[in-house]
Amino acid sequence: MGVTARPHDLIRLAGGAVAGAELPGWAVASLAACGWAVVRRAPHPPGLIPIGVRGPQRSQRHATLVPAEEVTRHVPPEELNHPHPHATLPTALCDTLSAVGPLLAQELGREAVWGPVGSVGFELATGHRVTHPASDLDLLVRMPHRLPPATAARLVTAFTTLPSRVDCQLETPPGGISLSEWARTGGPALVRTPHGPELVDDPWASP
């Protein structure tokens, strides 16, 4: 299938495998058991998608590239921000995920585009259990326009009242920034770009 994948999107691979012999054994086994990977933020040639393969251990992460035609399903984070009947998440994470939407709508408007990433997003997309009761809820909020630091600070405060810890990243035009960092400093901010981290005064300023 033709797919335009963005960082943090989840993709399922044909046959659950990546072409090439460079994969470590644990990654081969992981893809055989659950043929999903997460799209990374990295430079890549046309027709290839940079992905990360996750293993059963937190330290087991492998970066590689996969041809776009190997993708059989594509799930962005914003498709995972509603209840799932097959969800296996611990209660605290379910409750936190349910509470996030109204908080974001209150501060950003109902048109806010967001979704869970990290282990929660992976579990919701794949049905493969990877979370535990102490897991954080990693969030991605697409933020094409400037977010006032005061609004960011209100969200950070609201998130501290939820059952599970929330780690929120804003996706800005040049890349990803931490909501808590932006709330604290209002710039400069460390932006995760495809070419590595960059310190930027205003992530929404025109270059």
Side-chain angles (χ1 to χ4, degrees):
M1 65 180 293
V3 58
T4 302
R6 295 177 290 183
H8 299 288
D9 289 357
L10 288 157
I11 57 175
R12 186 168 62 190
L13 306 174
V18 177
E22 79 282 2
L23 294 181
W26 65 259
V28 174
S30 181
L31 285 171
C34 178
W36 288 79
V38 63
V39 178
R40 296 183 297 115
R41 197 187 306 275
H44 56 281
L48 295 178
I49 299 174
I51 65 168
V53 180
R54 63 182 300 151
Q57 305 299 322
R58 188 178 181 87
S59 61
Q60 291 178 322
R61 301 291 185 268
H62 184 75
T64 188
L65 297 168
V66 63
E69 60 266 24
E70 293 292 322
V71 177
T72 62
R73 190 177 171 202
H74 167 232
V75 181
E78 51 267 40
E79 289 187 10
L80 302 170
N81 63 13
H82 54 277
H84 288 67
H86 65 280
T88 57
L89 299 178
T91 300
L93 283 171
C94 284
D95 292 345
T96 300
L97 184 60
S98 296
V100 161
L103 292 175
L104 290 173
Q106 178 179 324
E107 293 294 344
L108 306 179
R110 295 190 177 277
E111 69 280 3
V113 179
W114 65 277
V117 294
S119 59
V120 171
F122 190 87
E123 185 165 320
L124 289 175
T126 69
H128 192 73
R129 184 170 293 182
V130 292
T131 62
H132 53 81
S135 293
D136 294 347
L137 174 59
D138 296 313
L139 288 181
L140 179 75
V141 179
R142 301 202 188 278
M143 191 59 54
H145 306 295
R146 191 177 190 277
L147 180 68
T151 303
R154 287 196 298 270
L155 281 171
V156 169
T157 299
F159 288 160
T160 63
T161 68
L162 301 181
S164 296
R165 181 179 180 276
V166 176
D167 186 1
C168 182
Q169 179 174 291
L170 305 175
E171 188 71 12
T172 71
I177 67 171
S178 164
L179 174 71
S180 59
E181 180 185 358
W182 183 248
R184 185 175 64 253
T185 68
L190 192 67
V191 180
R192 298 176 179 87
T193 79
H195 303 282
E198 296 180 10
L199 195 62
V200 177
D201 288 331
D202 185 347
W204 292 274
S206 300

